[in-house]
Amino acid sequence: MNRIAEKGIGEVADQTGLAVALVDSDGQTVGVANNNSICESLQASRVHRAGCAEFCGRAFQLAQSNSAEFSYECHVGLSCVAVPLDTSARPLVAIVGRAFRSAEKYYAATSRLLSGEWNDIPEESLLANVLVSGSSLNFDRALAKVGAIEFSEGEGPESGEAIAPEDVAVSINPELSEFESDSRVWQSFLSLLFESPYLDACRTIIGFLKDHYGLKNIAWLERRNGHFETLMTAGDFRDEEIGLRIKSNDRRLFDAVRDTAALEVPIQDSRGESSVATLFPMTIGGEMRGIVAVTDRFHSPMLIKRVAKFSQTAATEIEILRLRDEVQRRGRLARAVEQFNRSLDEFDSEAFWSDILSISAELMQSERASLLVFDEPSREFTVAAAIGVDAALLRTDPFIGSRIAGRVAESEEPIVTADIAKLGLSEIAARKYKTRSFISLPFRISASRVGILNMSDRVDGSQYLRRDLELLSALVPQFSVLIDRATLISRAGEYQQLSVTDPLTGLLNRRYLKERLEEEVKRTRRSGDPMSFMMIDVDDFKSYNDTFGHTEGDKALQIVARCLKESLRGADVAVRYGGEEFSILLPSTNLEVTLTVAERIRARVESTEFPNRKVTVSIGIAGFGDEIKSADQLIDAADFALYAAKGAGRNAIRISKGERGI
């Protein structure tokens, strides 16, 4: 594509924020401006480009055959319009858009990324330039501008020239209502947020509400675990936790959205002072994701409606940024888990506490961190590892454990605070922390030992939030794996006698599972995290042994065990339960994710080449919950589901709905 043609579509893309691509009769892209990074990544992938060919690859034929614009939504959920171009050389079609028209579409695409469907593409590449346009106005402007591009005589855009059109006028009703006038300001403001990190965008919106509508005291609440919890505040509530916790399915919130109004509720701040907050819900596709809470007194009902309308308008943009942030957070966690897995492969019993701490500190971007171990029989703390300016001093601190760690060890409840001074621990200030935000996370090491993980002094100076605590907590199952390995090595003689490792497959055995499962049940009861369990049986294994002999049967079991190892995540515990039966413990994992893991195992075994004949497995799944409250019940439920999978014809998966239900 020549320089002037490139300038023509480039100007259209710059002015509308959409992608513009030129394709020829062979379906080949001969020029593109502002391409959506998802399109660019998938089209460059040998695995995924076929899906793109079904849509953008056929755009030329569809547009030319209709001799008119042709609108379509591709397999990713991107809205596109194919426009035939009047050129004097070869025929061309412009594809305009490649943008998500709603947060729901973007959410669906993000879910595919989180599920691992695109795990062969770096997430940084996929998310580098995601295009979103909730307004048809941008599409109308882009189509008008592209249609006005004039290609010069010659060989088309590869050697000829294209003249970019002047700005194409878009008619706007001069009699704007108050909402419509606001809407123009909102769209201009919100369009500036797409490059911002999620939390920065939330702060920017709070600032906009303060400046544009003269509001002073604002809180941003985020939906978490079925409730809305304070994410950040401004005004009189700066660095304060608002005493507001409301269920996300509260019908009154949806009524407020329907009426473009708000909901007033009584609140109490951390100082015990009572007031009234006006809540402005933010809803995406019928699902409420956030709330703007304001404690200013509104003197105008119209102002309430304007703020309510703005909150709904901003909901789509802010949800897109939240989803992007979630993908990035999951990516950081995945990399941390990968590092833990490398630590397991390169295990050093002298340095494993340091490994735990350094990986956790990197995930949390902490300049200061410590890992303390509390021994209940001796009632003493020891510093297992420390990072930061006072790491050496911390090891000799006579007051270690008498402050935050002691409180956390006693309650076994984590602490995350924006201001450590508000915990009533004045002596902490002597350590000259850069920031006042702090995380302290307890985790169980054994029946009589608790570990305390402390994080402070975030690199960028921002405060830690509950969402950071949730991310750090996701590593706790990894700690257990690493600590168990350390225990096994340090007590090698004892465990050799107990034989916790199955000699044939190299997996852990049933004896180990019994102890570990009891510990995980106790931890899950305390934390409320999900936990799942699988029972796996090799189909028709008796006939395999009878036909090919026990030696060949042992080889088949070894291959199945290898398939399990290759299919599992770092925290999952694979066990040879006995004979041709295997089991897998999945800490902090719900049934939906467990089903994905189970299908990966089933498919891997089925596609693996065995020496004598095809081998398959049947899998039963159970989850710890209301009806399943003990380790024995969990095993029985998974075993019952396994028999249901066998009864369904084998090479199948079934999920238990209770101890004796499928």
Side-chain angles (χ1 to χ4, degrees), residues 222 225 376 454 543 578 604:
E222 185 179 68
N225 303 319
E376 291 180 3
N454 301 310
S543 69
R604 182 177 288 272

Side-chain angles (χ1 to χ4, degrees), residues 336-585:
V337 170
E338 186 179 349
Q339 284 183 270
F340 264 108
N341 291 339
R342 285 200 297 269
S343 295
L344 291 174
D345 294 337
E346 304 166 4
F347 184 78
D348 180 354
S349 60
E350 297 297 321
F352 81 98
W353 291 119
S354 296
D355 287 347
I356 287 177
L357 186 60
S358 62
I359 294 171
S360 302
E362 183 178 346
L363 180 68
M364 292 290 101
Q365 299 177 311
S366 299
E367 292 186 5
R368 274 176 148 176
S370 62
L371 200 161
L372 312 181
V373 176
F374 177 68
D375 183 73
E376 291 180 3
S378 66
R379 309 298 296 177
E380 291 183 352
F381 280 93
T382 57
V383 179
I387 296 172
V389 294
D390 61 351
L393 294 175
L394 189 64
R395 297 179 185 277
T396 59
D397 186 349
F399 299 103
I400 193 71
S402 62
R403 296 178 288 254
I404 294 176
R407 183 184 303 185
V408 170
E410 183 176 353
S411 66
E412 292 198 34
E413 293 293 331
I415 287 176
V416 55
T417 180
D419 187 354
I420 197 171
K422 291 178 181 176
L423 298 178
L425 303 168
S426 57
E427 65 268 30
I428 293 291
R431 292 194 178 171
K432 299 179 181 178
Y433 284 86
K434 290 182 179 179
T435 67
R436 296 181 294 177
S437 187
F438 192 89
I439 288 181
S440 188
L441 174 69
F443 61 95
R444 177 62 63 173
I445 297 173
S446 65
S448 61
R449 301 177 79 203
V450 175
I452 310 293
L453 194 62
N454 301 310
M455 297 283 152
S456 60
D457 284 355
R458 200 168 198 157
V459 173
D460 61 3
S462 62
Q463 68 184 44
Y464 287 109
L465 304 168
R466 184 155 294 276
R467 64 204 306 270
D468 297 306
L469 178 63
E470 292 172 0
L471 186 62
L472 188 60
S473 299
L475 286 180
V476 167
Q478 307 294 325
F479 299 167
S480 299
V481 173
L482 202 56
I483 291 166
D484 283 346
R485 182 73 65 89
T487 304
L488 290 174
I489 290 177
S490 63
R491 299 170 62 187
E494 177 183 348
Y495 276 101
Q496 282 174 357
Q497 293 176 358
L498 294 176
S499 301
V500 297
T501 302
D502 174 58
L504 176 65
T505 63
L507 299 178
L508 295 164
N509 68 8
R510 191 168 175 173
R511 181 192 296 272
Y512 173 84
L513 174 68
K514 183 178 180 180
E515 294 184 4
R516 178 63 187 277
L517 193 54
E518 291 289 351
E519 290 178 5
E520 285 298 327
V521 165
K522 292 177 183 177
R523 189 187 70 80
T524 300
R525 284 174 179 162
R526 288 194 307 269
S527 66
D529 292 340
M531 178 178 68
S532 300
F533 185 75
M534 292 185 206
M535 289 294 293
I536 303 171
D537 188 81
V538 180
D539 296 327
D540 296 319
F541 186 70
K542 183 178 184 301
S543 69
Y544 194 101
N545 263 342
D546 292 345
T547 304
F548 306 110
H550 288 282
T551 299
E552 291 300 308
D554 287 348
K555 291 179 182 178
L557 292 177
Q558 289 172 333
I559 295 173
V560 171
R562 188 173 70 243
C563 290
L564 297 186
K565 294 175 184 177
E566 293 171 349
S567 302
L568 297 181
R569 306 161 306 167
D572 302 333
V573 179
V575 170
R576 185 182 181 193
Y577 198 77
E580 69 271 25
E581 278 194 315
F582 300 85
S583 62
I584 299 172
L585 171 64

Side-chain angles (χ1 to χ4, degrees), residues 72-74 77-81 96-101 105 139:
Y72 62 95
E73 184 180 285
C74 76
L78 298 169
S79 292
C80 307
V81 181
V96 176
R98 289 183 174 174
F100 294 106
R101 294 295 296 271
K105 297 295 183 184
F139 274 80

Side-chain angles (χ1 to χ4, degrees), residues 163-177:
I163 303 173
E166 296 297 322
D167 193 33
V168 177
V170 179
S171 61
I172 299 176
N173 187 345
E175 297 180 359
L176 294 174
S177 68

